[in-house]
């Protein structure tokens, strides 16, 4: 069977890591017909807009996309392509698993968390303005709706049930943000009793940050609003080995876009230096979504063995303090080549130690 998938290479390190991901996808033998759709800086140059309609149309048509990171200019200029894409396609659930691969690159080898972030509203609603003509005061509107809160909370509980996870924790700031935070909190409190098999609790965002860096092993599924989810998913990625190894997925009703947690890391652009693992694990999740379980298992196993061996790894996995023995960093393309080389020869059924032994992510839209 062959699949047509939209590919957005993105900006900065995006083209390098998406090329790496394509190399590994090709090594699985699954036929993927990539439909290239440029968004971001290249699209501004060629079409005058960072998010041409053709990109949205391509994703709607194919229903599955692999995306590289896209730069958002700070301050003036275009709105974030990432935020616009999520809103226009109603990709409401951003799922960001943080699991330490082979216990490497981290001080917390037991980390096994999933951040489920509402991705269409909150402080990213894009409603903001200057209060006065001199631009000495500004306001941003924090949009929280009952509908979006209910569906993201339900998504988190369903994910916890499917993946047999031990607990769902809602993170908010309802003590200060009494209406917006309070509405999200109410949605959570009214949904939780419908899932009596899944323990649940709540944390304020500030306390949650402290708890996570002290004892990440005590948490499991975290569900939260847009801004808190953005911050917590980077924090959790750091616990699990860094942005270089943190994949992610965005889900709408009938669409899935796979993109890493990391951004375009402009300082590494064009240097063949960035870690390709996050984007490669996006391919792994995408293959699972497509029902190509064995291919996904092979990709995961090849990533695992490459990281565990530590012969051909990028700079972020070779940093002193995170590795027992000195490692010479390899390039992005060399690491991708090593993973691709292993894909056909690994044993995808060999047992893995915890936390990976508990099973792979189950995709919510496989049957839809
Ligand atoms: P970033 O994630 O691009 O980089 C932060 C740091 O993390 C880098 O300097 C680097 O040290 C490390 N890093 C990131 N990816 C890595 C990789 N694959 N391998 C090794 N190290 C890696 O965050 P930033 O610098 O804050 O943002 C840069 C741009 O990316 C901004 O324009 C931002 O808006 C955009 N961004 C886009 C997305 C997205 O497309 N989904 C997400 C986050 C940020």
């Amino acid at each position: 069977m062959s699949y047509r998938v939209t590919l957005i290479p993105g900006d900065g390190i995006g083209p390098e890591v998406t090329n790496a991901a394509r190399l590994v996808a090709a090594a699985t033998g699954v036929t993927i017909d990539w439909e290239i759709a440029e968004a971001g800086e290249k699209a501004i140059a060629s079409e005058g807009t960072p998010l041409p309609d053709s990109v949205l149309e391509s994703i709607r048509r194919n229903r599955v996309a692999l995306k590289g990171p896209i730069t958002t200019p700070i301050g003036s200029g275009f709105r974030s392509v990432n935020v616009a894409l999520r809103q226009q396609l109603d990709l409401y659930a951003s799922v960001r698993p943080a699991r330490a691969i082979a216990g490497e690159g981290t001080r917390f080898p037991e980390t096994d968390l999933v951040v489920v972030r509402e991705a269409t509203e909150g402080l990213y609603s894009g409603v903001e303005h200057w209060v006065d003509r001199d631009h000495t005061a500004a306001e941003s509107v924090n949009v929280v709706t009952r509908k979006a809160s209910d569906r993201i909370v339900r998504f988190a509980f369903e994910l916890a049930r499917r993946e047999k996870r031990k607990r769902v924790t809602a993170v908010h700031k309802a003590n200060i943000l009494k209406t917006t935070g309070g509405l999200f909190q109410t949605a959570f409190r009214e949904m939780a009793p419908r899932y009596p098999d899944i323990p649940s609790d709540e944390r304020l965002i500030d306390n949650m940050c402290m708890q996570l860096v002290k004892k990440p092993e005590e948490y499991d599924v975290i569900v939260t609003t847009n801004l808190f989810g953005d911050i917590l998913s980077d924090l959790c990625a750091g616990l699990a080995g860094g942005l270089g190894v943190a994949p992610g997925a965005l889900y709408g009703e009938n669409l899935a876009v796979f993109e890493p947690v990391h951004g375009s890391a402009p300082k590494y652009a064009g240097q063949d230096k960035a870690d390709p693992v996050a984007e490669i694990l996006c391919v792994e999740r995408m293959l699972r979504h497509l029902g190509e379980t064995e291919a996904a298992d092979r990709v995961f196993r090849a990533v695992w063995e490459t990281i565990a061996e530590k012969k051909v790894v990028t700079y972020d996995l070779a940093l002193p303090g995170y590795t027992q023995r000195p490692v010479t960093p390899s390039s992005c393309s060399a690491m991708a080549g090593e993973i691709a080389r292993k894909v056909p020869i690994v044993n995808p059924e060999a047992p893995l130690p915890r936390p990976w032994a508990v099973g792979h992510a189950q995709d919510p839209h496989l049957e839809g």
Side-chain angles (χ1 to χ4, degrees), residues 127-328:
V127 185
E128 55 177 7
H129 55 259
W130 294 109
V131 172
D132 61 349
R133 252 188 279 161
D134 299 333
H135 292 191
T136 63
E139 289 175 343
S140 291
V141 179
N142 184 16
V143 177
V144 174
T145 63
R146 183 61 196 251
K147 182 182 167 216
S149 301
D150 279 344
R151 69 179 179 174
I152 197 67
V153 169
R154 189 181 306 109
F155 188 102
F157 276 107
E158 290 290 332
L159 180 144
R161 187 176 272 171
R162 230 176 14 251
E163 297 189 9
K164 299 186 177 50
R165 288 183 166 269
K166 59 179 188 269
R167 177 168 156 199
V168 177
T169 302
V171 177
H172 54 70
K173 190 70 182 172
N175 56 333
I176 305 294
L177 303 171
K178 291 192 190 297
T179 54
T180 49
L183 181 56
F184 182 77
Q185 182 188 44
T186 303
F188 184 75
R189 288 185 176 179
E190 290 182 11
M191 188 68 72
R194 296 191 206 176
Y195 295 86
D197 50 319
I198 302 164
S200 61
D201 56 7
E202 297 171 30
R203 292 286 179 277
L204 296 175
I205 177 66
D206 39 351
N207 180 29
M208 189 71 201
C209 292
M210 188 275 292
Q211 299 280 344
L212 280 171
V213 294
K214 275 195 87 172
K215 40 188 178 183
E217 68 286 353
E218 288 199 2
Y219 293 89
D220 202 334
V221 177
I222 295 167
V223 62
T224 188
T225 48
N226 210 339
L227 177 63
F228 296 157
D230 194 0
I231 296 165
L232 283 182
S233 50
D234 269 40
L235 192 160
C236 292
L239 295 171
L243 285 170
V245 294
L250 292 156
Y251 298 103
E253 285 312 323
N254 281 307
L255 305 174
V257 175
F258 297 86
E259 65 166 6
V261 177
H262 67 71
S264 56
K267 70 178 178 191
Y268 295 138
Q271 293 178 34
D272 196 16
K273 181 172 176 177
D275 189 336
V277 166
E279 194 78 49
I280 290 169
L281 290 178
C282 289
V283 163
E284 182 240 348
R285 291 189 67 98
M286 186 188 84
L287 289 166
R288 236 169 262 293
H289 176 81
L290 295 170
E292 295 288 348
T293 310
E294 199 209 309
D297 287 348
R298 285 187 173 279
V299 170
F300 180 72
R301 173 63 64 166
V303 167
W304 174 285
E305 290 188 6
T306 303
I307 292 180
E309 266 176 24
K310 278 206 155 179
K311 286 188 185 145
V312 189
V313 293
T314 45
Y315 81 96
D316 53 321
L317 294 165
L319 291 174
Y322 293 103
T323 176
Q324 310 260 320
R325 58 194 150 79
V327 182
T328 307

Side-chain angles (χ1 to χ4, degrees), residues 33-97:
D33 176 12
W34 299 101
E35 186 173 293
I36 311 286
E38 291 291 356
E41 287 163 350
K42 276 200 195 123
I44 294 174
S46 61
E47 306 202 31
T49 169
L51 185 57
D53 286 345
S54 55
V55 176
L56 299 171
E57 282 156 19
S58 171
I59 298 173
R60 284 196 188 99
R61 197 168 48 243
N62 297 325
R63 294 175 52 188
V64 181
L66 179 72
K67 176 181 166 296
I70 295 176
T71 299
T72 303
I74 293 177
S76 58
F78 291 98
R79 263 194 83 196
S80 164
V81 172
N82 302 304
V83 173
L85 190 73
R86 292 163 198 168
Q87 289 175 346
Q88 294 197 35
L89 296 176
D90 200 23
L91 297 163
Y92 68 92
S94 170
V95 178
R96 295 176 158 186

